[in-house]
Amino acid sequence: RNVQAETLRDRRHDGFAHLEMSATLRLRMLESAEIRRAFVERVGHPNVGLHLDTKALVESGEDIDAVLARYGRTLRHFHASDPGLAPPGSTGIDHVRIGRALRRSGYQGFVSIEMRRGFGPSREVIAKSVAYVRGCYFPGEEAHVAHQASPA
């Protein structure tokens, strides 16, 4: 009997658990999108969902277009990230192509930027990264978002 799985099934808990893979750590148990999706299905709790990450997908060698086409509608969270947790787009990952595939997949959730410090002045790097990710994953929405943020 798996006590952790039973705890996740207990509806008194209001948190969410999204499973992210790390190709670098080689966690064989959850190393592909299909294995993670099967795990989520087996747990069978609405607060446990599939989480995909561009860095991990690229490092694992999975066909990103196929993975997103297959799981986009059931995906619960998505990270735009690059190897070394460098700013998105700085290491050659094709975020424009991935953004197109994610939009085609039917995913309706957030795209979070995952990166670490140390790539320049934080405010500048964050601003550039947000603009880059918006352009790749939400083309045409930049003016709308900027308009919402402007004072009334």
Side-chain angles (χ1 to χ4, degrees):
R1 177 179 158 160
N2 185 334
V3 175
Q4 290 177 333
E6 291 301 318
T7 300
L8 289 171
R9 284 190 191 103
D10 184 342
R11 302 222 184 256
R12 292 176 294 174
H13 300 282
D14 291 329
F16 289 92
H18 298 156
L19 304 170
E20 179 181 12
M21 153 193 140
S22 172
T24 306
L25 294 176
R26 295 288 179 219
L27 297 173
R28 297 278 179 219
M29 191 174 102
L30 299 171
E31 73 179 0
S32 73
E34 172 56 28
I35 291 170
R36 283 174 282 142
R37 189 231 26 102
F39 178 82
V40 167
E41 189 174 287
R42 182 168 174 137
V43 169
H45 190 282
N47 289 10
V48 177
L50 182 61
H51 169 185
L52 294 177
D53 177 293
T54 55
K55 173 184 142 326
L57 287 168
V58 167
E59 289 176 349
S60 73
E62 291 188 78
D63 179 338
I64 297 171
D65 292 295
V67 167
L68 292 176
R70 186 167 187 183
Y71 303 119
R73 291 198 182 279
T74 59
L75 186 60
R76 297 287 290 277
H77 191 71
F78 191 82
H79 277 172
S81 60
D82 276 34
L85 295 180
S90 65
T91 67
I93 289 181
D94 188 353
H95 287 278
V96 171
R97 180 180 61 83
I98 296 168
R100 249 190 325 268
L102 190 63
R103 287 190 306 280
R104 282 193 310 262
S105 77
Y107 176 65
Q108 297 293 309
F110 290 101
V111 174
S112 298
I113 296 171
E114 182 180 30
M115 66 182 186
R116 63 179 175 82
R117 292 181 177 180
F119 295 98
S122 294
R123 287 180 187 231
E124 287 178 33
V125 174
I126 291 168
K128 287 179 183 177
S129 297
V130 168
Y132 176 76
V133 167
R134 275 189 188 142
C136 294
Y137 292 86
F138 307 100
E141 293 186 24
E142 294 85 357
H144 174 69
V145 173
H147 175 71
Q148 285 182 331
S150 64

